[in-house]
């Protein structure tokens, strides 16, 4: 057993949730560990369907923005007051309406593609224009239209290199189309890769993982309908297939995301619950420590039969858009032992948790505030884990915590005041232990009954320190 400590101290600030999750519900939405902050329906955005989402933080003001894909365009929200987001307006689709729209952000620009008959191409929108919207909601115009592609299902961007990968287009057999974004409002074609056929989704990184053969290379992890492909795309003129991963009960290899240590690739098969007789939502975990020889590690099955869609890793949590079952948060801190556990959810489709395509299409968990964007048939929903609502302590506090792994204990010392209360929660705010009226300088916390995972210690109701067991 290992216990790691983060070196920073935190303090709890007042929560700003509009509707807290109480008794597993928030304003009629089933939930656990997530509060409802705000919601805009499709009708509020003059749309009939919703799809992808992403986020942007203005580097000048640090104001956060939500970007929400719709059947007929792309909506933008100012989140400076998260309880009262401002709907700034919509960039209409370049051609007709579509169920499929995908958005990514690079260098203060949004890049938007759509899977639709016709020449939608890639829209480029300068997000700094959102700073000065006089009369929202406005109808925006694109700043540039990239017309060297027509219909594309998806887009991924490696922000380290400034290349976009347009995915599922009409070119290169549906494989990734390379576009140089070094001048964001003037993209340049850079070729593509057709060697592995149609790619549905991909994550591309400048490799910094355990396989020393590929350090510094640009590596694409593609979800290619019936398999996962790992491709070296460093040389855009000569991409090289590194390896292919297949697995049992394949129906549609939809999307995947790497753990932050790059050891595992977590994959969702969108249709296995419908056509392969898989009883509950299945996530496949592949060991990719050796890119030349990746292997199946284990499967995780969720608590419902809902169809899985997009999932993203942030720290030790995998956030999944699980369609009819909503946002699902899964603790992956013990993934090396083959154990991952659901620790919270927010269900934007209360009617049922069956297979199907209602509810949550996408989640975006990367806003610095910790607020999470959910998009789909319920429109735009903003939620928050109240346990993560923390800020840096304004003045230094002499707090020390020493692990004693042999006895499953933590020794807590506070030098400049006495310890009155100690409360331990998991990372979604569920209480594990609580102690009051202590009036001590040293306190020994017994963690023997805690499952492996990330926890938060609240001391004197204001001081917080995270630890992992």
């Amino acid at each position: 057993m290992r216990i790691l400590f983060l070196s920073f101290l935190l303090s709890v600030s007042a929560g700003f949730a509009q509707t807290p999750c109480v008794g597993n519900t928030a304003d009629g939405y089933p939930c656990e560990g997530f509060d409802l902050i705000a919601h805009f329906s499709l009708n509020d955005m003059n749309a009939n369907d919703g799809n992808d989402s992403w986020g942007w933080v203005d580097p000048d003001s640090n104001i956060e923005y939500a970007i929400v894909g719709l059947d007929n365009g792309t909506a933008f929200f100012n989140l400076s007051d998260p309880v009262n987001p401002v709907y700034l307006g919509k960039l209409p689709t370049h051609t007709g309406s579509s169920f499929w729209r995908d958005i990514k952000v690079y260098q203060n620009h949004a890049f938007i593609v759509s899977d639709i008959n016709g020449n939608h191409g890639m829209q480029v929108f300068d997000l700094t224009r959102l700073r000065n919207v006089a009369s929202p909601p406005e109808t925006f115009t694109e700043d540039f239209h990239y017309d060297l592609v027509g219909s594309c299902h998806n887009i991924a961007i490696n922000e380290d290199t400034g290349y976009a990968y347009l995915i599922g287009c009409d070119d290169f057999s549906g494989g990734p189309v390379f576009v140089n974004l070094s001048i964001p409002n003037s993209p340049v074609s850079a070729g593509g890769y057709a060697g592995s056929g149609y790619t549905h989704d991909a994550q591309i990184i400048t490799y910094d993982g355990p396989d020393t053969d590929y350090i510094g290379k640009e590596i694409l992890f593609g979800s290619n309908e019936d398999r996962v492909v790992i491709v070296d795309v460093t040389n855009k003129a000569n991409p090289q297939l590194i390896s292919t991963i297949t697995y049992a009960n394949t129906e549609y290899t939809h999307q995947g995301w790497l753990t932050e240590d790059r050891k595992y690739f977590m994959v969702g098969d969108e249709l296995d619950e419908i056509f392969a007789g898989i009883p509950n939502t299945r996530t496949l975990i592949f060991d990719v420590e050796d890119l030349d020889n990746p292997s199946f590690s284990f499967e995780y099955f969720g608590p419902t039969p809902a169809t899985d869609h997009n999932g993203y890793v942030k720290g030790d949590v995998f956030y999944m858009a699980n369609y009819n079952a909503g946002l699902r948060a899964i603790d992956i801190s013990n993934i090396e032992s083959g154990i991952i556990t659901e620790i919270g959810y927010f269900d934007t489709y209360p009617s049922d948790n069956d297979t199907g395509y209602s509810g949550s299409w996408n989640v975006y968990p990367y806003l610095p505030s910790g607020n999470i964007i959910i998009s789909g048939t319920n429109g735009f929903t903003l939620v928050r884990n109240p346990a993560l609502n923390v800020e840096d302590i304004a003045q230094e506090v002499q707090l020390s915590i020493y692990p004693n792994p042999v006895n499953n204990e933590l020794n807590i010392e506070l030098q400049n005041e006495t310890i009155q209360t100690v409360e331990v929660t998991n990372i979604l705010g569920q209480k594990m232990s609580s102690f009051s009226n202590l009036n001590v300088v040293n306190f020994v916390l017994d963690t023997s009954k805690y499952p492996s995972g990330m926890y938060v210690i609240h001391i004197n109701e204001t001081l917080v320190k995270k630890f992992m067991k």
Side-chain angles (χ1 to χ4, degrees):
M1 183 173 295
R2 60 191 178 95
I3 302 180
L4 303 177
F5 297 92
L6 303 184
S7 59
F8 54 85
L9 300 177
L10 305 166
S11 71
V12 175
S13 61
F16 48 71
Q18 184 181 33
T19 308
C21 179
V22 177
N24 295 115
T25 186
D27 197 27
Y29 295 107
C31 59
E32 182 177 358
F34 289 95
D35 293 342
L36 173 65
I37 299 178
H39 173 249
F40 281 72
S41 69
L42 292 172
N43 188 59
D44 293 330
M45 297 176 279
N46 192 28
N48 296 310
D49 204 355
N51 39 65
D52 195 44
S53 53
W54 211 249
W56 175 61
V57 180
D58 187 332
D60 290 352
S61 65
N62 291 321
I63 291 175
E64 297 176 347
Y65 293 81
I67 308 171
V68 178
L70 305 167
D71 62 314
N72 56 7
T74 305
F76 303 93
F77 292 85
N78 181 313
L79 305 181
S80 54
D81 179 2
V83 176
N84 299 290
V86 177
Y87 174 38
L88 298 174
K90 182 194 298 185
L91 172 66
T93 180
H94 187 80
T95 50
S97 296
S98 172
F99 290 114
W100 301 284
R101 193 172 308 278
D102 205 79
I103 311 137
K104 296 297 183 294
V105 169
Y106 176 70
Q107 291 294 320
N108 303 323
H109 287 73
F111 299 86
I112 305 159
V113 299
S114 182
D115 195 345
I116 182 174
N117 293 329
N119 296 313
H120 183 277
M122 179 174 70
Q123 295 176 293
V124 182
F125 179 76
D126 184 349
L127 293 165
T128 64
R129 293 168 57 189
L130 301 178
R131 294 169 177 166
N132 301 299
V133 177
S135 301
E138 289 188 2
T139 299
F140 298 108
T141 56
E142 58 200 29
D143 291 281
F144 183 84
H145 180 250
Y146 184 81
D147 60 5
L148 297 183
V149 294
S151 171
C152 292
H153 188 78
N154 218 321
I155 178 174
I157 295 177
N158 182 358
E159 296 183 28
D160 293 332
T161 62
Y163 276 91
Y165 296 81
L166 311 188
I167 300 163
C169 307
D170 300 324
D171 306 292
F172 294 96
S173 301
V177 177
F178 309 146
V179 182
N180 187 331
L181 303 180
S182 56
I183 303 176
N185 61 0
S186 185
V188 176
S189 174
Y193 172 68
S196 297
Y198 182 92
T199 298
H200 185 81
D201 206 326
Q203 183 184 8
I204 302 94
I205 64 169
T206 300
Y207 188 74
D208 57 352
D211 191 335
T212 56
D213 293 340
Y214 295 95
I215 296 292
K217 300 286 189 179
E218 194 168 9
I219 306 300
L220 178 147
F221 295 80
S223 297
N224 279 37
E225 297 190 295
D226 60 356
R227 63 201 185 283
V228 172
V229 298
I230 304 176
V231 185
D232 184 344
V233 293
T234 309
N235 182 351
K236 300 297 182 292
N238 188 27
Q240 295 294 313
L241 177 65
I242 298 172
S243 57
T244 298
I245 309 172
T246 58
Y247 56 93
N249 296 312
T250 306
E251 289 295 337
Y252 199 88
T253 312
H254 178 266
Q255 187 261 2
W257 209 257
L258 290 161
T259 55
E260 292 186 352
D261 60 10
R262 314 308 193 195
K263 291 183 178 180
Y264 299 94
F265 190 57
M266 306 183 65
V267 176
D269 185 309
E270 187 178 20
L271 301 180
D272 54 356
E273 294 87 10
I274 298 175
F275 297 116
I278 303 298
N280 280 13
T281 309
R282 178 177 64 152
T283 302
L284 300 116
I285 294 88
F286 298 104
D287 185 328
V288 292
E289 291 186 71
D290 181 352
L291 296 184
D292 296 287
N293 296 288
S295 61
F296 171 79
S297 184
F298 67 99
E299 296 173 323
Y300 163 76
F301 294 93
T304 79
T307 302
D308 47 308
H309 207 234
N310 296 338
Y312 306 94
V313 172
K314 181 181 180 183
D316 286 317
V317 180
F318 180 60
Y319 295 92
M320 183 199 305
N322 207 178
Y323 271 128
N324 291 27
L327 160 70
R328 317 303 289 199
I330 300 165
D331 183 349
I332 60 172
S333 59
N334 203 24
I335 193 171
E336 291 198 44
S337 299
I339 300 171
I340 63 177
T341 307
E342 181 172 289
I343 51 176
Y345 60 88
F346 193 95
D347 188 352
T348 62
Y349 187 75
S351 299
D352 63 62
N353 290 328
D354 297 340
T355 57
Y357 305 105
S358 299
S360 299
W361 170 294
N362 196 65
V363 298
Y364 182 79
Y366 298 117
L367 293 174
S369 64
N371 297 335
I372 297 176
I373 299 165
I374 307 175
S375 58
T377 61
N378 194 46
F380 160 52
T381 307
L382 193 67
V383 301
R384 171 76 175 177
N385 169 8
L388 297 182
N389 190 19
V390 294
E391 297 176 349
D392 293 336
I393 290 180
Q395 57 187 13
E396 184 178 356
V397 176
Q398 297 298 319
L399 172 67
S400 301
I401 300 182
Y402 305 99
N404 183 348
V406 175
N407 296 325
N408 290 304
E409 293 176 345
L410 300 181
N411 297 298
I412 304 170
E413 295 182 3
L414 192 61
Q415 275 77 48
N416 56 359
E417 60 179 296
T418 58
I419 300 172
Q420 300 296 330
T421 63
V422 174
E423 182 177 280
V424 181
T425 66
N426 64 17
I427 59 173
L428 289 180
Q430 298 160 327
K431 187 181 297 185
M432 306 297 296
S433 301
S434 182
F435 308 89
S436 59
N437 301 317
L438 295 172
N439 198 32
V440 297
V441 175
N442 302 304
F443 180 77
V444 178
L445 176 67
D446 180 5
T447 66
S448 60
K449 295 182 180 180
Y450 298 173
S452 297
M454 185 73 73
Y455 296 93
V456 183
I457 303 177
H458 309 251
I459 300 172
N460 293 350
E461 298 183 351
T462 59
L463 309 183
V464 175
K465 194 172 182 75
K466 295 181 182 179
F467 72 95
M468 188 169 73
K469 177 181 174 184

